Amino acid sequence: MQTITPNAGSVVEIKTISDDGSALTTLASQHIAGILEHAFCHNAQQQALIVFDTQSALASILSQAYQHCLPQAKCLHFGTVPAQEILDAIAALQKSDLVILVQSTNFRLEAYRLRVELFKRGLKVIEHPHLGRMDGEEISYYIDALQYDPVYYRETGKAIKRIIDQASQAVIDSGDGAQLVFGGGLEPAKLNVGDYSEMANVGGQFPIGEVFTESVRLEDVNGKVRIFIFGDTSFRINEPPVPITLIVEQGQVVDTENSTEEFDRVLANIRADDGVVWVRELGFGLNRAFSQDRKVMDIGTYERMCGIHLSLGSKHGSYAKPHIKRGEGRHHVDVFAVTCSVRLDGQELYQDGRWSV
C-alpha cells in the first residue's frame, strides 16, 4: 500500500509499504496528500492534531489515511479519551497548526463550539462530519470527491465568480419549459475552492467545490425550477420518483407540481417557522465526483454536486437582507435543480453536465 510521509518541505513524498490497508485507504491517502500540499501548504515543521472515531466504515478509512499522511500528528480517538484531553491538545497548538476532525456524526464537547473555537485560535481546520450517513458505493464517491485539482477548482471558481459579480440576470433552465429567472443583480459570490489566501479562516468542511451567491433582491426571482433531490427532515437527501417543480413568484415558493408527502412536510415546517418559503442561495457546485447519478446521503456533502442547488427558507448567514434579520430565519433547506442550462446575461456557463467557463 502507498502512504505519504513528510519530507523537508511538504507531505507529498509517496512511499510504498506493505500493510493490510484497502485500496480505498490508499486512494484516500493520495487525495489527502494533495489537499495538505495544495490547499493547506502544510509542512513537517507544523503540528497536526487528528481527532477521529471509527464508528463508520468511512470514518475508519479516513482516519487511517490521515495517520498515513501525517505520521507525526497527535491522534485522539474521540469517545475513548476524556473530552478535557482533547481540549488540552487543542490548547497546546500554535497559530496555523492543523486540526483534522473525522466524525461519523458530529463531535460535541459539552458547550464547546469546536470549529468556531478552532478558527478563533487561528488554527487550520479540515472537518469531515456525518460520515456515518454514507455507506456502500457512496464511500467510493466520497473519496473520489476528495481529489483536489487546484487548477480546475481555482480557475473555474474564480471565472464563475467574475461572471456572477458582473451579471444583471441569471436563468436556470431545468427542462420541460421550467426556467427560474433571477431578474436583478446577484450578491458578490463567495468561493469554496481550497484557496484561503484572502480568507480569515483556513479550512472548513470537506469535500469542497462550490461558488455561491443569491439575488440582491429576493423578490426579483420568478419562474419554475425542477428539483430532483431535496434535503429532508433528517438532513439526508430525498429523491422523489419524478422531479418536483417549484413555482416561484417574487422570490417565494407559492406552489408545486409533482410534490411528495415528505417535501410537503419540509415546506410546511418552513412556513410554520419562517412564515413564507424564500428562495435564497444560488449555488454553483463544482465537485465532479458528485452528479445526478453519483449521490451520497449526507445533504451537506452532496451540496458540492456539479450543478445548481438552491436553498429554501429565510436562513443564510452569508448575506444580509433588510427584511430578514441575521439569525432570524430558522430554515436553510438545500434543493438540487435538474441542470440543463445556466445562463448569466445570456452567456452559457454549463454544458453536458460540466462547467464551460
Side-chain angles (χ1 to χ4, degrees):
M1 169 177 177
Q2 290 181 317
T3 185
I4 294 84
T5 57
N7 58 29
S10 67
V11 289
V12 294
E13 180 184 351
I14 298 178
K15 295 182 179 180
T16 300
I17 64 175
S18 177
D19 64 19
D20 58 357
S22 68
L24 288 174
T25 305
T26 302
L27 186 60
S29 298
Q30 293 169 348
H31 293 342
I32 286 167
I35 292 171
L36 294 171
E37 179 189 18
H38 298 295
F40 286 85
C41 303
H42 188 78
N43 60 51
Q45 284 69 51
Q46 295 169 312
Q47 294 187 76
L49 170 66
I50 304 170
V51 184
F52 68 98
D53 68 55
T54 55
Q55 295 177 4
S56 64
L58 185 50
S60 296
I61 290 169
L62 294 185
S63 299
Q64 293 175 46
Y66 274 107
Q67 291 176 58
H68 291 161
C69 292
L70 298 166
Q72 298 173 338
K74 184 179 183 67
C75 301
L76 296 176
H77 192 161
F78 188 86
T80 67
V81 299
Q84 190 59 50
E85 185 174 342
I86 297 175
L87 300 180
D88 290 344
I90 292 171
L93 296 173
Q94 303 297 313
K95 184 177 180 179
S96 296
D97 287 340
L98 175 63
V99 177
I100 297 149
L101 306 173
V102 180
Q103 309 157 91
S104 293
T105 54
N106 195 14
F107 293 155
R108 300 290 181 186
L109 295 173
E110 299 176 353
Y112 198 75
R113 298 181 65 193
L114 197 48
R115 186 168 69 173
V116 173
E117 186 63 27
L118 295 174
F119 281 145
K120 285 181 180 177
R121 293 170 178 261
L123 298 169
K124 302 175 182 178
V125 181
I126 301 176
E127 184 176 24
H128 298 274
H130 306 301
L131 299 175
R133 292 177 179 167
M134 292 162 283
D135 204 353
E137 63 183 0
E138 296 177 36
I139 293 176
S140 296
Y141 299 161
Y142 187 101
I143 291 172
D144 288 343
L146 294 177
Q147 183 174 14
Y148 185 61
D149 180 343
V151 174
Y152 164 70
Y153 279 118
R154 296 179 187 188
E155 291 188 359
T156 302
K158 289 178 180 179
I160 292 174
K161 174 178 168 55
R162 284 195 296 270
I163 296 168
I164 288 172
D165 289 354
Q166 298 173 4
S168 59
Q169 184 190 71
V171 179
I172 310 303
D173 189 323
S174 52
D176 285 353
Q179 292 190 342
L180 189 65
V181 179
F182 291 72
L186 299 171
E187 295 281 8
K190 297 183 182 296
L191 296 171
N192 180 7
V193 295
D195 181 356
Y196 305 106
S197 57
E198 298 179 5
M199 296 185 180
N201 299 326
V202 178
Q205 180 176 334
F206 277 70
I208 61 169
E210 182 184 5
V211 183
F212 63 91
T213 180
E214 69 178 26
S215 180
V216 172
R217 277 180 24 97
L218 300 184
E219 296 86 351
D220 289 338
V221 184
N222 294 277
K224 295 183 177 182
V225 60
R226 297 166 67 234
I227 62 170
F228 68 94
I229 291 285
F230 63 90
D232 65 17
T233 53
S234 66
F235 303 102
R236 288 172 165 80
I237 68 167
N238 187 299
E239 184 173 10
V242 297
I244 298 170
T245 299
L246 309 185
I247 299 171
V248 180
E249 295 179 0
Q250 296 187 344
Q252 299 175 18
V253 177
V254 298
D255 205 352
T256 61
E257 298 170 358
N258 301 316
S259 189
T260 65
E261 183 178 344
E262 178 62 19
F263 189 66
D264 287 344
R265 184 178 298 111
V266 169
L267 293 181
N269 288 345
I270 296 173
R271 290 190 174 105
D273 294 325
D274 293 355
V276 299
V277 182
W278 288 107
V279 176
R280 293 210 60 175
E281 180 177 322
L282 171 58
F284 297 65
L286 304 180
N287 200 308
R288 296 172 292 192
F290 299 137
S291 67
Q292 191 165 342
D293 298 318
R294 291 168 59 92
K295 300 179 284 289
V296 293
M297 285 301 296
D298 179 53
I299 195 73
T301 298
Y302 190 61
E303 186 179 1
R304 315 323 188 191
M305 181 273 299
C306 191
I308 290 292
H309 63 272
L310 308 163
S311 77
L312 306 182
S314 299
K315 185 178 180 179
H316 201 297
S318 295
Y319 300 107
K321 290 292 185 273
H323 57 290
I324 303 174
K325 296 179 181 178
R326 189 176 297 274
E328 183 178 55
R330 289 189 57 186
H331 293 273
H332 179 111
V333 177
D334 290 314
V335 299
F336 298 82
V338 177
T339 309
C340 299
S341 171
V342 180
R343 297 189 300 276
L344 272 69
D345 288 348
Q347 179 181 351
E348 182 63 68
L349 273 65
Y350 188 90
Q351 294 178 326
D352 302 322
R354 294 289 185 269
W355 298 105
S356 56
V357 295

